[in-house]
Amino acid sequence: MAPPPSMAAASDRAGPGADPGAGDSSLRLRRPPSADAGDLPGDSSSGQRESGEPHPPPPNPQQQQQHEMLYFRASAPAHRRVKESPLSSDAIFRQSHAGLLNLCIVVLVAVNSRLIIENLMKYGLLIRAGFWFSARSLGDWPLLMCCLTLPIFPLVAFMAEKLIRRKLIGEHVVILLHIIITTSVIVYPVVVILKCDSAVLSGFVLMFLASIMWMKLVSYAHTNYDIRVLSKSTEKGAAYGNYVDPENMKDPTINSLVYFLLAPTLCYQPTYPRTACIRKGWVIRQLVKCIVFTGLMGFIIEQYINPIVKNSKHPLKGNFLNAIERVLKLSVPTLYVWLCMFYCFFHLWLNILAEILCFGDREFYKDWWNAKTVEEYWRMWNMPVHKWIIRHIYFPCMRKGLPRGVAILISFLVSAVFHEICVAVPCHIFKFWAFFGIMFQIPLVFLTRYLQDKFKNIMVGNMIFWFFFSILGQPIFVLLYYHDVMNRQAQASR
């Protein structure tokens, strides 16, 4: 069979007996491309030939067309190597899923746009401020005065530290003073909120600030106590090596205390890593985002969550199937609200605060959305609280000789108590739903760890976490607290 005209011409130029492809560089690329390349010859992404030699520079369009004419002849093999399907189990994690992610975003926007239009057509615009703020709550001056007087407690703690530094009081006295101060900072707002029938959100904000103040004061007292112990030990010749930083062994000052109270951290230390400057334009952009997402949270709550819970029954008293339907219907909007809250507070607000204060350590969260177990989630989603618990509860318990399981139990117990206080006190309801919800995380930790070890699959563990977190947990507690609050308000109005 005679060669094609291009090959014949090349053979004539090369002389008799020569390799037909030696005279034309375009014919050197008939060798199959490497496994990492596409099926087109001359593709610059193919890297190297099968023989290990690098490819020549990519040809011009005319040469590329000539390559294709030769490479895709009927006699040329169409299947040259072993390949996996892109969605096979061995190859799926080596592929880029950017296109599928874009598809999910488009579908998510389309579906939620339809739901928003359908909701507005069915209910109209339902946004109201009475549940969150009211004229009565704006005139509820005891809560405002309580909030404004909270800084008195850290000032008293600072005076106690100054007295112990000057050896005017003993160690046991300063410990007793700190216990009184930290107890008062949490009991004082509880009493004020229970005495005043305020709006739920107003009471929640006050309890949230009081809880933060309590954790900061505990850290302030505990850290300064540890500094005094280390200082006495080093004076006696004890060596701690790199575990002791001289910069963080300084006496407490009013400036360090004020910076600590304002900084986005719950762990006190005399000095913090600092950034060089404040990006004013960046701060303004984050503030705008914070306002937008806060408004989105309010819209979802008023337009979606409130109508759903109003048309529901108490999950522990009504029909079981009806309760399951309400829980599933609530799971999506409550998840949206929780994600918006996380983004607004942990990413936007804490970073804004850190930027204004030049606070350097901005690891306020890790990639908790990839958590394979409930334990990983609790370690990663709220880093300020996690660091505080590790520093002031978990490891102190371990150093006292308590078993690891007991230290974990105490850590969850403290977390459960404060979750219950922050929710039950503003709602004026003590049913311990939040307390039991947090304590229920302990068996979930062991269950999800067991399932993760059994299946040995990251996707299975992550899906189990999301099911317990967003589909089952949050909607149930929304229904429980909503119906209890409505029942209390109905009984109070009689």
Side-chain angles (χ1 to χ4, degrees):
M1 183 175 180
S6 59
M7 293 184 64
S11 176
D12 293 341
R13 287 194 298 271
D19 183 0
D24 189 352
S25 63
S26 66
L27 300 181
R28 299 195 194 109
L29 298 177
R30 294 192 61 190
R31 193 185 304 270
S34 65
D36 295 333
D39 287 332
L40 291 180
D43 187 357
S44 61
S45 66
S46 59
Q48 292 183 340
R49 306 187 193 184
E50 290 182 350
S51 62
E53 299 175 3
H55 279 297
N60 56 42
Q62 184 178 1
Q63 289 177 322
Q64 181 74 16
Q65 184 177 6
Q66 196 175 25
H67 294 170
E68 295 174 3
M69 295 291 290
L70 295 174
Y71 192 78
F72 292 106
R73 292 179 61 87
S75 60
H79 308 283
R80 300 174 181 271
R81 61 185 180 275
V82 176
K83 297 181 182 178
E84 291 282 350
S85 298
L87 296 180
S88 65
S89 58
D90 293 334
I92 187 171
F93 293 108
R94 296 197 300 267
Q95 304 293 326
S96 172
H97 301 94
L100 291 177
L101 178 61
N102 292 335
L103 173 63
C104 292
I105 293 174
V106 170
V107 171
L108 192 65
V109 171
V111 170
N112 285 278
S113 299
R114 182 193 67 80
L115 291 176
I116 291 173
I117 295 173
E118 180 181 318
N119 182 276
L120 291 174
M121 292 173 62
K122 184 176 181 179
Y123 298 107
L125 192 63
L126 299 176
I127 297 178
R128 60 185 178 84
F131 183 78
W132 304 102
F133 297 103
S134 64
R136 182 188 62 188
S137 63
L138 290 176
D140 193 10
W141 61 269
L143 268 70
L144 178 60
M145 294 302 298
C146 178
C147 186
L148 294 177
T149 52
L150 284 179
I152 294 175
F153 296 96
L155 290 177
V156 177
F158 173 73
M159 293 172 61
E161 286 297 322
K162 282 297 184 183
L163 291 175
I164 187 67
R165 291 286 177 172
R166 295 175 182 176
K167 299 182 180 181
L168 297 177
I169 57 177
E171 194 69 56
H172 292 87
V173 176
V174 76
I175 292 175
L176 178 62
L177 286 175
H178 281 304
I179 292 175
I180 295 173
I181 293 168
T182 52
T183 304
S184 301
V185 82
I186 207 71
V187 172
Y188 172 42
V190 168
V191 172
V192 172
I193 293 173
L194 293 180
K195 291 290 184 180
C196 305
D197 191 15
S198 60
V200 173
L201 185 59
S202 302
F204 175 77
V205 170
L206 178 56
M207 284 309 308
F208 181 70
L209 294 175
S211 300
I212 291 176
M213 186 68 75
W214 182 85
M215 287 189 283
K216 283 179 177 280
L217 288 178
V218 169
S219 180
Y220 185 75
H222 190 190
T223 303
N224 281 307
Y225 170 79
D226 196 50
I227 289 174
R228 290 195 299 272
V229 171
L230 289 176
S231 299
K232 293 177 182 178
S233 299
T234 53
E235 289 175 0
K236 294 179 180 179
Y240 293 93
N242 295 328
Y243 295 102
V244 176
D245 182 8
E247 286 294 320
N248 287 314
M249 297 288 290
K250 298 178 180 178
D251 290 349
T253 63
I254 190 64
N255 290 336
S256 64
L257 174 62
V258 172
Y259 186 86
F260 168 60
L261 294 176
L262 297 176
T265 180
L266 299 174
C267 296
Y268 171 76
Q269 56 192 64
T271 59
Y272 294 93
R274 305 286 289 270
T275 56
C277 61
I278 300 175
R279 298 170 292 177
K280 298 181 178 63
W282 184 89
V283 171
I284 294 174
R285 289 194 299 270
Q286 305 312 303
L287 280 173
V288 172
K289 290 181 185 178
C290 194
I291 294 172
V292 170
F293 277 92
T294 303
L296 180 61
M297 277 193 293
F299 176 80
I300 295 174
I301 291 171
E302 296 289 349
Q303 201 71 29
Y304 286 91
I305 295 180
N306 280 349
I308 293 174
V309 295
K310 283 180 179 178
N311 296 326
S312 66
K313 296 181 180 179
H314 198 286
L316 301 182
K317 299 178 181 178
N319 182 271
F320 178 74
L321 291 179
N322 182 270
I324 293 296
E325 187 271 338
R326 291 289 100 177
V327 167
L328 294 176
K329 194 169 184 178
L330 265 177
S331 61
V332 175
T334 53
L335 177 62
Y336 287 168
V337 169
W338 194 93
L339 292 175
C340 288
M341 180 278 300
F342 170 81
Y343 184 72
C344 279
F345 184 75
F346 285 94
H347 182 72
L348 295 176
W349 176 246
L350 292 185
N351 272 289
I352 290 170
L353 203 57
E355 186 70 23
I356 294 174
L357 297 173
C358 298
F359 187 80
D361 185 2
R362 303 184 185 185
E363 190 185 45
F364 304 121
Y365 57 91
K366 294 183 179 178
D367 57 334
W368 57 266
W369 46 87
N370 293 325
K372 301 182 289 295
T373 63
V374 173
E375 182 182 9
E376 287 190 8
Y377 164 74
W378 285 108
R379 286 205 311 260
M380 295 191 296
W381 92 275
N382 187 341
M383 292 306 294
V385 171
H386 173 71
K387 292 176 181 177
W388 185 89
I389 289 178
I390 289 293
R391 192 186 193 206
H392 301 294
I393 296 180
Y394 179 79
F395 279 112
C397 290
M398 296 284 285
R399 282 192 289 269
K400 291 295 183 180
L402 296 178
R404 180 175 181 271
V406 176
I408 293 175
L409 178 63
I410 294 175
S411 300
F412 272 101
L413 183 63
V414 173
S415 177
V417 168
F418 275 88
H419 276 80
E420 178 67 24
I421 289 176
C422 287
V423 179
V425 172
C427 295
H428 296 258
I429 294 173
F430 294 92
K431 294 293 185 70
F432 296 97
W433 301 127
F435 177 86
F436 291 127
I438 297 299
M439 296 306 293
F440 184 65
Q441 303 297 309
I442 298 177
L444 281 182
V445 166
F446 294 101
L447 175 62
T448 53
R449 186 190 298 170
Y450 167 77
L451 294 174
Q452 173 64 23
D453 294 339
K454 181 179 178 61
F455 289 104
K456 301 292 184 182
N457 190 304
I458 295 176
M459 293 184 64
V460 172
N462 188 250
M463 290 171 65
I464 293 172
F465 154 70
W466 278 114
F467 173 77
F468 282 116
F469 174 72
S470 60
I471 304 300
L472 193 61
Q474 296 190 54
I476 291 178
F477 286 99
V478 169
L479 289 174
L480 288 172
Y481 274 105
Y482 176 83
H483 285 286
D484 287 337
V485 169
M486 292 299 105
N487 291 337
R488 187 189 70 84
Q489 291 182 354
Q491 293 174 1
S493 62
R494 290 175 184 174

